[in-house]
């Protein structure tokens, strides 16, 4: 998963992320909660101070971890460089929010966790420091 993140960052000339087991552990815990409720919702900001969070859900066994991260990277098609939140060709930053967090220039660390239930797999990635900050430039 780290290679999938850093491949895109390096393509853009950005500093690679370092893996954080602390972030990964927290991400796994949240992924397990989401798998239990079989739904996606972001954790409380108070539970992840200055950490960004990307969520993904798909059919159990149908995706590799790299393909899960590629789901974030696929948002690149709607991304346009600019000042956040004005970074989407669609006019809605949420259409590119996973991607912009992944390529956020100030982010230094990532940690991800996967959990599953009978039918779904859930990926949670946590980023430090958080991206998607209003008024900041995205390359």
């Amino acid at each position: 998963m780290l290679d999938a993140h850093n491949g895109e960052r390096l393509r853009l000339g950005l500093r690679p992320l370092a893996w954080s087991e602390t972030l990964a552990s927290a991400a796994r815990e949240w992924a397990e909660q989401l798998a239990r409720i079989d739904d996606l919702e972001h954790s409380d900001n108070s539970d992840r101070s200055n950490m960004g969070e990307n969520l993904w859900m798909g059919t159990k066994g149908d995706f590799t971890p790299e393909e899960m991260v590629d789901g974030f990277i696929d948002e690149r098609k709607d991304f346009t460089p600019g000042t956040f939140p004005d970074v989407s060709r669609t006019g809605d930053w949420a259409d590119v929010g996973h991607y912009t967090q992944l390529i956020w220039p100030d982010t230094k660390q990532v940690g991800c966790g996967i959990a599953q239930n009978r039918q779904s797999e859930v990926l949670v990635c946590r980023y430090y420091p958080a991206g998607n900050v209003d008024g900041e430039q995205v390359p």
Side-chain angles (χ1 to χ4, degrees):
M1 278 190 271
L2 180 62
D3 288 344
H5 278 81
N6 284 336
E8 183 63 14
R9 291 179 66 87
L10 292 172
R11 189 184 75 75
L12 297 172
L14 297 169
R15 176 182 56 241
L17 299 175
W19 186 260
S20 165
E21 192 51 45
T22 301
L23 293 175
S25 177
R28 275 191 297 276
E29 286 180 25
W30 189 243
E32 289 167 4
Q33 169 65 18
L34 295 178
R36 274 193 293 280
I37 65 171
D38 198 32
D39 198 9
L40 289 182
E41 59 184 57
H42 284 287
S43 60
D44 253 8
N45 285 334
S46 62
D47 292 335
R48 52 183 171 89
S49 179
N50 200 23
M51 284 181 256
E53 182 175 75
N54 276 350
L55 309 176
W56 178 95
M57 180 182 272
T59 303
K60 180 179 173 181
D62 282 359
F63 300 89
T64 66
E66 294 80 13
E67 289 171 326
M68 295 173 188
V69 173
D70 282 346
F72 305 149
I73 296 170
D74 286 345
E75 294 177 359
R76 173 178 60 210
K77 69 186 181 318
D78 291 323
F79 172 73
T80 186
T83 303
F84 194 85
D86 299 321
V87 292
S88 176
R89 295 185 204 321
T90 68
D92 184 356
W93 75 266
D95 292 337
V96 298
H98 298 100
Y99 182 69
T100 53
Q101 174 57 83
L102 190 146
I103 65 163
W104 198 262
D106 295 335
T107 298
K108 295 175 176 60
Q109 298 177 333
V110 64
C112 302
I114 298 173
Q116 53 188 259
N117 57 34
R118 290 175 38 211
Q119 61 200 28
S120 303
E121 280 185 293
V122 176
L123 168 68
V124 175
C125 291
R126 297 262 175 102
Y127 303 84
Y128 180 82
N132 294 348
V133 179
D134 283 354
E136 292 197 12
Q137 192 67 26
V138 189

